[in-house]
Amino acid sequence: MSAKTETLLSILKLQPVVPVLIVEDVASAVPLARALVAGGLKAIEITLRTPAALDAVKAVAAEVEGAHVGAGTILNARDFEAAVKAGSTFIVSPGVAPGVLAAARDSAVPLLPGAATASEVMTLREAGYDVLKFFPAEQAGGAAYLKALSSPLAGTVFCPTGGISLKNANDYLSLPNVVCVGGSWVAPKELVAAGDWAGITKLASEAAALKA
C-alpha cells in the first residue's frame, strides 16, 4: 500500500460518514465545519460546485482546528491543483479522467477517484487505486450492487456517495468493502441558511454514532 493510500485511509477511517458540502457563502464555511467537527465528523468534503468553494476550503483549512478538509467534484487537473493550493488534504472526483490522474500522480495529496462499474474499478486498480468513491451510489445499484462487487474485486474498498441518508447508511456500512459513506444530510441547506450550528452538530453526532 502506498503512502498516499495510507494517508487517505487514515482520513476516511476517522468517522463512518464524510459530510459532502455545497458551500454557497464563504462566511458560513468555518462555523459549519466547526459544528461538524464538534459532532465528531472531522473529515469534510467541500465540493467545487459554487464560486465560494475554493475560498471555503482555504478558510476551513486555516481556521478549523481538528478538521481534515478535502475538495470534491474535481473534474480536471486545473481544479486539482487549485484545490491543493487552497489547502485540501484529500481530493475527490465523481469519476476519472486522464488529466486528473496525471495531476494526482504529481501531487503528494491523495485522490479518491469515483467509479460506478466493474470496468471502471478494474481500470483504477491498474492505475494503483484500491480506495475508491462509489458514485452515484443509490442510482448505480445501491448496497446490493456494491456487495456483488466485493468478491470478484476483493481488496478494493469504497466510500459510497449519492442518495445516502441516515436511513440507508447502515446498508452500506455493514458491507466488508465499505470504509465509510459520504452524505449531505448532515448539513441541510435550511439549517446552514439559519445558522443553526447546534442543529448541525446534533445531526453530525447521530452520523458519527453509526458503525463503520
Side-chain angles (χ1 to χ4, degrees), residues 17-20 22 45 49 133-143 159-173 180-186 210:
V17 180
V18 175
V20 179
I22 297 174
E45 176 190 337
R49 299 185 196 179
K133 168 176 172 160
F134 175 52
F135 177 83
E138 281 291 284
Q139 296 82 352
C159 171
T161 304
I164 298 177
S165 66
L166 193 63
K167 289 178 184 173
N168 63 2
N170 275 327
D171 295 344
Y172 291 92
L173 292 169
C180 63
V181 300
S184 57
W185 84 87
V186 292
L210 293 166

Side-chain angles (χ1 to χ4, degrees), residues 48-123:
L48 265 60
R49 299 185 196 179
T50 68
L54 282 173
D55 285 335
V57 169
K58 196 178 293 184
V60 172
E63 298 178 44
V64 184
E65 192 176 341
H68 296 262
V69 64
T73 320
I74 300 298
L75 305 180
N76 51 54
R78 187 180 64 252
D79 289 347
F80 192 113
E81 286 151 13
V84 170
K85 193 175 178 184
S88 299
T89 58
F90 62 102
I91 299 292
V92 186
S93 62
V96 75
V100 174
L101 287 181
R105 263 195 308 273
D106 296 336
S107 176
V109 177
L111 170 67
L112 178 66
T117 67
S119 295
E120 290 168 356
V121 174
M122 289 168 65
T123 299

